[in-house]
Amino acid sequence: MECVDSLSNADMPPPIKRKRTNPSLTDLEGDTLMGEHPVPPLISEMTAIQDVPKWQETTEASFNGIVAIRFTQPIAFDTDPAWTMVATGFIVDAQRGIILTNRHVVGGGPFVGEAVMHDHEVVEVQTIYRDPIHDFGFLRFDPSKIKYMKLVEIPLAPEHARVGIDVRIIGNDAGEKLSILAGSISRIDRNVPSYGYMTYNDLNSFYLQSASFLSGGSSGSPVIDIEGRAVGLQAGGRTHEATNYFFPLDRVKRALELIQQGNPVLRGSIQTRFIYNAFDVAQKLGLPEEIEAMVRRMRPNDIGMLVVATVLPEGPGAKAGLEEGDILLKINSDVVTHFVALEDILDNNIGESVSVTVIRGGETIEANVTVQDMHALTPSRLVTFGGCVVHDLSYQLAYSYTLPLRGAFMTSTGKFMPFYDDSDGVIVDSIDDKPVNNLDDFIAVLRTIPDHEPLPIVTYSISDVHTKRGEVVRFSHQWNTIRMYTRNDDTGLWDCEKIDMCPRPVNISPVNVRFPTLSDPRAGKASELAKTIVTVFCVLPVPIEGISKEYLSDYGFIADVARGLVVVSRRTIPLNICDLYIVLAGSLMVPAKLRFLHPTHNFAIVQYDPKRVGDNNVYQATLSSRLPKQGDTAHMVTFNSLGNPMCLNTVVSDMAEILIAARFPPRWRCINTETVHFESKLAADFRFGLVGDENGHVQTIWMPFMRSHKVTAAAGLPTRAILPVLEALKNDQTPTMRLLNIEVKPVSLTNARACGLSLSRLDEIQQANPDRCVLFRVEGVELLSKAHEVLHPLDIIISINGKLMQRIDDLDQQYTNKSLVLVILRDKQERTVVVETTEYDGGIRKLVFWCGAVFQAPYTALLLQSSKVPSGVYCSNVATGSPAQQYELAPTYWITNVNGISTPDLDSFERAVRTCPDNTYVRVKTISYDSEPSVLSIRTCYHYWPTSTLSKDSVFESNWHSSEDN
């Protein structure tokens, strides 16, 4: 069995956290929480249905008061991720437009939603109240917006919730609008259900229990009796059994009346959690017989008493001396055995001291406890930057883990600490050696952080407060605009303001570093290569082009000490939008800039400021232009698992083209590249190494190649492929390169003969190079390229500019020629074609962010894998909890039209979306990757998802310029 809520997955949000439970976890009633949902029976299949005509009349009369709620939580907050869901609510005040639903629907953080009426009229809703601990909240809509349906108000009748009565749960069950489930109330004094850790859990309340099924989407449904009165609020349930949990409406009715009167809903707390224990359990805790007799006389229908379950450290209850296991007897001389009476006293005595009488081990103890304002203890602000979300530790999590109610909690670690898992529940202990006790402390330190400078941060997991974790992070001002959101219940929004940075001055002085020495005599002159190997860290601020990782690292090597040039694999730097850092000798980390990203080969070149490195033993590798051959001796200098340099002696076994299959969604992969392989199988155990010859010159770079977002494989890249680009940078020139825009793969001469290769050509090829009896076939041609007009997939290339193409390196002529003369074999005939090359633009030039989606122009991998280009606007990523996700825009969609305006390119798309007003539906025509057209209506929400652009601009130090208008 599993205790779950009943939200419905309307789109494709992250997994619902409330369903993630520990297999051995049990709730307060001893029920094991695990399992899957059964299929709920239809109401017609239920037995013992009484008075069917009356129930039909009652349910039909309720329809116009029940709404489906489509909502997003745009920013992760507390235990809830950013997500898009569907739930239920019901109207409790038609005149004022007030809807009751669950707290786990409205959430503790930002909320954007709309209510769908029974006649499918849609109105915007805002949160006007969320209870700090109980599972209910209120939404508000404008009743004047409902033009075609008479609103029905469902009355709240908590006093009519009794054991044995038949009820109906009417709501958006399993995503189906107005599904009706039948049941009967079996308990009215159940302790709150437990939904697990790192998720919302109610406390200090009874729950109603019913014999009925539930499915996703029924959260917030009214539980009505045969007279059409709401006697409970659907909250959660238990799987594998027809067991459902309803929140009682006593405190809900009180809160509604206060809101209707325009008064604040006061909520008091002594930071103590109580549970209801039966008398026989209380006896084991020391309940005297005479006390039990007195309570039974006063409360003849009661079967137990309230017992202290959790006392938060440093809270009023702890300061007053309350302890777990104390049996509550009186508050201010009133005998209290129910949660409603307990909360009534606390809510009416905020700021006052109350006298609490408890039974501990048979003794009566009195304590004076100060009642705090529960709303003040609940976080109402959050800070976001670079995907990181921080707020004060919440009441909910403090109770779940019995922690003091203080500390800055990271709901999402984002790019600030990408090596953390959000599910760990990270609490910040200190930043830059300054203690952090709350959100204000966190902001005060964050504002002063210099750009790209190392920052020590100490954290601990909320589930393991004993173990502290220390890391050093970097803060990039370019990608990490700090925004503060503050809850405003008058508007239903969280007001946003940008926090200005005041970075403290930094005195940057050179640091001496010393690389470890490779003392293995077998390395020979190649031993000095160990002093050129560095570590490169890459942080990707925008996950696009099929790249989902935000943080990548691997080894690289120094190719020019004087200019600080470092060569690294494209597995480490897949995109040209990134933050880069280099660690030298494991002791100095310096920021770096991307200088070149090769379009087809697996390497990038970055540059650090050599002035930041003092007198040292840093060396640069000397690259050889000689192509390795079979049988060559190779000294691979690498690092073992302990981080120490070592040498692996082997020989070259083969040279072969690396073949990496295309992936979906399309992402960059190495193509048209010949790689080196070695005889020793031990080479595969290392992801990086410099392979030197007898003179210590590097002939091959053993490096990781990205096969998918999770899988890498190492192979050797000949240094000859790097030299032209490196020489240009060494001469302080910007490398330029022209491309044929094709992908080729080897084809055997046997297959070429079957495709029409003549015997004379066969003889010519065999005589020209008996070691490489292959040709190359065009595997793909980039759409929109000049080559696409001339070359076709499956064309076999015989020669380029009069030279037979028998090695992949023969394609290198494309880099410096504006056109190439190719002899190809097509349809069993040789043809001579002239193909123009195009200039390589260096990668991404512009991104547009709209409604939580990222749009870009078609890129190389996409153009190689696609058969059509419907538009010049491609959706590369969609953020969870965004309007784009809510209205089913998905990555890999092409955008062809916005509100009737054609969008053939990114600039026209930007102009079109910038004219769309806020909180309006925008009609977007799309075509999926598989060429399926559709029209989406996306409602804008610029408050949380403003329109902005990111453009490549060398005027700025980061080479990127961002703009945001709304």
Side-chain angles (χ1 to χ4, degrees):
M1 295 173 293
E2 181 184 10
C3 205
V4 298
D5 68 2
S6 38
L7 292 171
S8 176
N9 182 341
D11 300 283
M12 293 181 293
I16 302 173
K17 283 194 171 185
R18 290 170 62 110
K19 291 185 179 179
R20 187 185 65 243
T21 57
N22 187 316
S24 62
L25 186 68
T26 58
D27 69 2
L28 298 175
E29 300 293 325
D31 295 321
T32 302
L33 310 179
M34 57 186 296
E36 299 294 336
H37 287 300
V39 178
L42 298 174
I43 187 170
S44 58
E45 297 172 344
M46 300 293 290
T47 58
I49 295 180
Q50 299 177 356
D51 204 352
V52 172
K54 175 62 176 175
W55 270 118
Q56 184 176 358
E57 178 184 344
T58 297
T59 54
E60 289 180 351
S62 303
F63 287 168
N64 286 2
I66 300 170
V67 302
I69 301 172
R70 298 193 299 231
F71 70 95
T72 68
Q73 294 178 0
I75 302 175
F77 188 85
D78 198 15
T79 59
D80 293 328
W83 57 8
T84 296
M85 304 295 284
V86 171
T88 305
F90 61 98
I91 299 171
V92 292
D93 189 326
Q95 181 180 356
R96 296 177 177 84
I98 299 178
I99 295 172
L100 172 63
T101 188
N102 292 121
R103 182 191 186 276
H104 71 256
V105 173
V106 302
F111 170 94
V112 177
E114 57 191 16
V116 183
M117 300 294 166
H118 182 52
D119 68 343
H120 287 269
E121 292 184 74
V122 180
V123 290
E124 183 181 358
V125 293
Q126 298 89 27
T127 304
I128 59 172
Y129 179 78
R130 54 177 62 76
D131 196 80
I133 58 172
H134 293 324
D135 199 7
F136 75 92
F138 293 106
L139 302 173
R140 180 176 57 203
F141 68 96
D142 184 355
S144 66
K145 300 290 185 181
I146 305 301
K147 301 177 180 179
Y148 306 105
M149 185 189 80
K150 182 179 179 181
L151 297 175
V152 170
E153 186 177 295
I154 298 180
L156 304 182
E159 67 277 6
H160 289 281
R162 298 188 301 273
V163 173
I165 68 169
D166 289 336
V167 293
R168 298 291 184 267
I169 303 101
I170 309 175
N172 184 36
D173 188 69
E176 297 295 332
K177 194 170 185 295
L178 288 185
S179 175
I180 304 173
L181 300 177
S184 59
I185 294 179
S186 57
R187 291 183 63 179
I188 61 173
D189 59 357
R190 190 196 194 280
N191 278 307
V192 295
S194 174
Y195 298 108
Y197 297 103
M198 283 298 296
T199 188
Y200 169 78
N201 286 289
D202 207 332
L203 65 146
N204 290 349
S205 176
F206 287 125
Y207 263 63
L208 313 180
Q209 183 169 310
S210 165
S212 59
F213 287 95
L214 86 156
S215 297
S218 61
S219 286
S221 298
V223 181
I224 63 172
D225 64 8
I226 199 167
E227 301 299 329
R229 301 169 296 207
V231 297
L233 176 67
Q234 166 65 47
R238 200 170 69 208
T239 62
H240 283 319
E241 295 181 12
T243 303
N244 212 349
Y245 304 133
F246 311 138
F247 183 75
L249 300 179
D250 305 86
R251 308 308 288 169
V252 176
K253 187 174 182 179
R254 167 187 175 269
L256 176 61
E257 291 171 350
L258 289 171
I259 292 173
Q260 290 169 329
Q261 297 164 10
N263 295 324
V265 182
L266 301 179
R267 299 289 280 111
S269 170
I270 58 174
Q271 295 192 29
T272 302
R273 181 172 68 95
F274 295 86
I275 59 174
Y276 190 69
N277 278 352
F279 283 122
D280 60 323
V281 177
Q283 291 170 5
K284 300 173 185 177
L285 295 173
L287 177 65
E289 185 176 346
E290 60 274 14
I291 299 295
E292 178 182 349
M294 179 195 71
V295 172
R296 286 184 180 272
R297 285 195 304 271
M298 296 179 64
R299 308 276 196 272
N301 294 325
D302 285 3
I303 61 169
M305 301 180 69
L306 299 180
V307 177
V308 175
T310 304
V311 181
L312 292 191
E314 304 177 13
K319 292 178 180 178
L322 296 182
E323 297 179 3
E324 288 79 3
D326 287 349
I327 303 171
L328 178 62
L329 181 59
K330 296 180 181 179
I331 300 181
N332 288 346
S333 73
D334 294 329
V335 174
V336 177
T337 60
H338 282 196
F339 288 111
V340 173
L342 169 66
E343 292 205 323
D344 187 62
I345 294 173
L346 297 181
D347 293 347
N348 292 313
N349 286 277
I350 296 175
E352 304 293 332
S353 178
V354 295
S355 175
V356 178
T357 304
V358 297
I359 307 298
R360 183 184 302 163
E363 297 182 4
T364 301
I365 298 175
E366 293 187 6
N368 293 320
V369 187
T370 301
V371 181
Q372 295 179 322
D373 182 357
M374 193 183 299
H375 291 297
L377 302 176
T378 305
S380 58
R381 301 178 303 157
L382 65 88
V383 163
T384 67
F385 57 95
C388 183
V389 182
V390 185
H391 56 75
D392 288 319
L393 181 66
S394 72
Y395 212 46
Q396 295 291 329
L397 288 175
Y399 274 112
S400 294
Y401 295 93
T402 318
L403 297 176
L405 197 54
R406 56 177 168 80
F409 177 75
M410 283 190 171
T411 298
S412 174
T413 55
K415 289 173 283 293
F416 186 58
M417 295 193 301
F419 32 78
Y420 278 71
D421 187 345
D422 291 343
S423 63
D424 290 341
V426 178
I427 297 179
V428 181
D429 186 74
S430 68
I431 302 179
D432 203 17
D433 298 323
K434 297 178 178 62
V436 174
N437 292 313
N438 50 48
L439 185 61
D440 291 328
D441 290 347
F442 185 88
I443 296 172
V445 179
L446 201 65
R447 299 180 66 236
T448 64
I449 299 174
D451 198 18
H452 296 295
E453 289 304 305
L455 181 74
I457 182 169
V458 178
T459 64
Y460 57 89
S461 170
I462 193 172
S463 60
D464 183 10
V465 298
H466 309 288
T467 305
K468 292 187 178 181
R469 179 174 176 178
E471 299 287 351
V472 175
V473 298
R474 255 80 176 169
F475 188 86
S476 172
H477 294 182
Q478 170 72 22
W479 317 114
N480 293 286
T481 301
I482 305 176
R483 290 181 172 86
M484 166 85 80
Y485 289 87
T486 304
R487 191 177 72 211
N488 185 337
D489 285 332
D490 292 332
T491 63
L493 295 173
W494 286 56
D495 298 332
C496 176
E497 63 173 320
K498 292 183 180 179
I499 296 178
D500 295 329
M501 298 295 293
C502 300
R504 54 179 168 78
V506 178
N507 181 21
I508 300 176
S509 57
V511 176
N512 296 332
V513 298
R514 184 159 297 278
F515 282 78
T517 301
L518 177 59
S519 57
D520 190 341
R522 296 174 300 172
K525 294 182 180 180
S527 62
E528 296 298 316
L529 295 177
K531 299 177 182 178
T532 71
I533 298 177
V534 297
T535 304
V536 180
F537 292 88
C538 175
V539 180
L540 301 176
V542 186
I544 53 175
E545 296 190 4
I547 306 297
S548 57
K549 287 190 175 182
E550 298 178 334
Y551 183 81
L552 298 160
S553 66
D554 221 312
Y555 290 113
F557 72 94
I558 299 173
D560 190 322
V561 170
R563 293 172 177 80
L565 297 177
V566 173
V567 179
V568 66
S569 73
R570 278 209 60 173
R571 178 264 171 197
T572 309
I573 309 177
L575 304 172
N576 64 336
I577 302 179
C578 57
D579 278 333
L580 298 170
Y581 304 94
I582 294 175
V583 176
L584 295 91
S587 57
L588 174 64
M589 178 179 280
V590 294
K593 291 184 178 180
L594 180 65
R595 293 303 308 275
F596 187 79
L597 203 63
H598 201 281
T600 59
H601 293 336
N602 186 39
F603 76 90
I605 298 180
V606 302
Q607 185 176 33
Y608 66 90
D609 185 358
K611 295 179 181 178
R612 301 189 67 154
V613 184
D615 296 332
N616 55 75
N617 66 335
V618 179
Y619 286 69
Q620 69 181 39
T622 301
L623 306 189
S624 172
S625 60
R626 178 180 176 273
L627 193 66
K629 296 181 179 180
Q630 280 185 324
D632 283 354
T633 300
H635 305 282
M636 181 185 291
V637 177
T638 183
F639 283 79
N640 59 27
S641 59
L642 299 176
N644 298 319
M646 61 168 288
C647 178
L648 175 65
N649 289 329
T650 183
V651 296
V652 176
S653 63
D654 196 9
M655 300 279 293
E657 295 73 25
I658 189 166
L659 303 177
I660 300 176
R663 300 288 179 175
F664 184 82
R667 60 176 65 89
W668 183 89
R669 56 195 170 91
C670 182
I671 60 173
N672 304 342
T673 302
E674 189 173 53
T675 56
V676 183
H677 298 268
F678 299 100
E679 185 177 89
S680 175
K681 294 182 179 180
L682 291 176
D685 294 337
F686 302 95
R687 295 205 308 180
F688 184 87
L690 295 180
V691 183
D693 58 18
E694 297 297 335
N695 297 317
H697 297 169
V698 179
Q699 287 187 324
T700 303
I701 309 164
W702 188 255
M703 56 171 53
F705 285 70
M706 181 171 58
R707 292 192 175 273
S708 70
H709 69 288
K710 293 183 178 180
V711 179
T712 60
L717 179 69
T719 53
R720 193 170 73 169
I722 299 172
L723 283 173
V725 176
L726 187 61
E727 289 303 317
L729 292 173
K730 285 186 175 183
N731 293 325
D732 300 322
Q733 299 174 353
T734 301
T736 59
M737 181 175 289
R738 303 189 69 84
L739 298 172
L740 200 54
N741 306 112
I742 64 173
E743 177 185 1
V744 299
K745 290 186 178 181
V747 59
S748 69
L749 295 183
T750 302
N751 289 341
R753 280 282 296 136
C755 294
L757 185 69
S758 66
L759 290 174
S760 59
R761 279 293 190 189
L762 177 63
D763 185 59
E764 180 185 2
I765 293 168
Q766 290 175 333
Q767 289 184 16
N769 189 353
D771 294 335
R772 301 284 293 181
C773 293
V774 296
L775 288 175
F776 290 87
R777 181 182 64 201
V778 176
E779 189 72 13
V781 184
E782 281 189 38
L783 300 180
L784 307 181
S785 69
K786 295 177 180 179
H788 187 259
E789 302 170 0
V790 181
L791 296 176
H792 299 169
L794 304 183
D795 285 349
I796 296 176
I797 302 175
I798 295 176
S799 67
I800 302 177
N801 284 352
K803 178 185 176 183
L804 291 176
M805 183 180 176
Q806 291 189 285
R807 301 191 72 94
I808 202 75
D809 293 350
D810 294 332
L811 271 180
D812 290 354
Q813 299 175 66
Q814 66 182 317
Y815 299 146
T816 55
N817 288 282
K818 291 186 177 181
S819 64
L820 299 172
V821 179
L822 275 63
V823 177
I824 62 173
L825 184 64
R826 180 191 299 166
D827 298 331
K828 295 190 175 184
Q829 293 182 353
E830 285 192 10
R831 305 184 185 193
T832 300
V833 295
V834 178
V835 187
E836 292 186 49
T837 58
T838 56
E839 187 172 353
Y840 173 50
D841 61 4
I844 303 165
R845 310 293 298 179
K846 181 179 180 179
L847 299 175
V848 176
F849 301 82
W850 180 72
C851 284
V854 185
F855 302 90
Q856 66 177 105
Y859 53 97
T860 298
L862 175 63
L863 294 174
L864 273 175
Q865 291 181 221
S866 302
S867 60
K868 294 181 181 178
V869 181
S871 166
V873 183
Y874 177 78
C875 180
S876 197
N877 190 32
V878 172
T880 56
S882 66
Q885 185 201 36
Q886 182 179 16
Y887 298 102
E888 300 181 352
L889 178 65
T892 72
Y893 276 30
W894 305 87
I895 311 300
T896 62
N897 189 292
V898 174
N899 277 347
I901 301 173
S902 177
T903 56
D905 53 43
L906 209 56
D907 291 336
S908 61
F909 173 78
E910 180 189 355
R911 289 192 298 269
V913 297
R914 286 194 183 278
T915 63
C916 301
D918 194 14
N919 284 329
T920 60
Y921 281 97
V922 179
R923 191 173 69 259
V924 180
K925 287 188 177 181
T926 70
I927 297 180
S928 72
Y929 183 80
D930 295 321
S931 302
E932 181 180 353
S934 63
V935 178
L936 306 177
S937 293
I938 301 176
R939 186 175 185 175
T940 56
C941 180
Y942 296 141
H943 184 79
Y944 298 113
W945 304 100
T947 303
S948 62
T949 61
L950 186 63
S951 305
K952 195 169 180 61
D953 193 336
S954 59
V955 173
F956 296 87
E957 183 180 358
S958 65
N959 291 326
W960 291 94
H961 173 61
S962 61
S963 63
E964 180 179 311
D965 288 350
N966 47 28

